[in-house]
Every structure is written in C-alpha cells, then in structure tokens.
C-alpha cells in the first residue's frame, strides 16, 4: 500500500509484474496477499505459468488504453 500511495502522490505510473503472484487474486484464501493491486495502472502476468497454455502467452491489463497504445506504437528515430 505504501508504494501505491507514493506513486499516486508523485503522479508516477504503478506497474505490477504479476507473473506468478497475481493469480492469488482468484483464490479466496490467498486474495489478501495481493490486496491493493487494483490501484496499479497496469499489470502483466503469464498464462503459461498457471493456466497450462502455450509458452508465449503474456497478458497485460492497462487502466489507460491510450497511454498503452501510444507506448506500443513508438517508432525509433534515426
């Protein structure tokens, strides 16, 4: 919670890399371990680590679609 408070106060982007731990949110007995994760601007996780899907199955959740789209469409200048 302190990290979320600090990033919110400074206007920074809070990202959660939830490769393993984010899936705790779906288990009632473990949900408390990820309390506050909903305050993040973005999360990533990997379906292959928990959902038994093919290896290259990354998932991203982003609260700011336009910012995410802009970041993913940047082109280098030469």
């Amino acid at each position: 919670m302190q990290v979320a408070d600090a990033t919110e106060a400074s206007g920074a982007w809070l990202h959660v890399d939830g490769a393993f731990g984010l899936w705790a949110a779906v288990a009632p007995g473990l949900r408390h371990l990820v309390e506050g994760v909903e305050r993040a601007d973005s999360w990533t996780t990997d379906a292959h680590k928990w959902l038994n899907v093919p290896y290259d199955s990354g998932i991203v959740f982003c609260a700011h679609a336009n910012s995410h789209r802009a970041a993913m469409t940047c082109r280098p200048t030469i």
Side-chain angles (χ1 to χ4, degrees):
M1 295 290 202
Q2 290 175 334
V3 171
D5 291 341
T7 54
E8 186 176 312
S10 68
W13 187 283
L14 178 58
H15 174 74
V16 172
D17 181 351
F20 286 101
L22 189 60
W23 294 106
V26 300
L30 300 175
R31 193 168 293 145
H32 68 281
L33 297 173
V34 294
E35 187 176 301
V37 73
E38 70 280 355
R39 294 178 63 191
D41 295 291
S42 59
W43 311 326
T44 55
T45 189
D46 297 306
H48 71 271
K49 291 181 178 153
W50 284 93
L51 302 176
N52 198 26
V53 297
Y55 186 76
D56 294 327
S57 297
I59 301 168
V60 62
F61 300 92
C62 185
H64 313 286
N66 290 335
S67 296
H68 185 250
R69 189 174 298 109
M72 295 295 108
T73 57
C74 289
R75 295 180 187 253
T77 56
I78 297 176

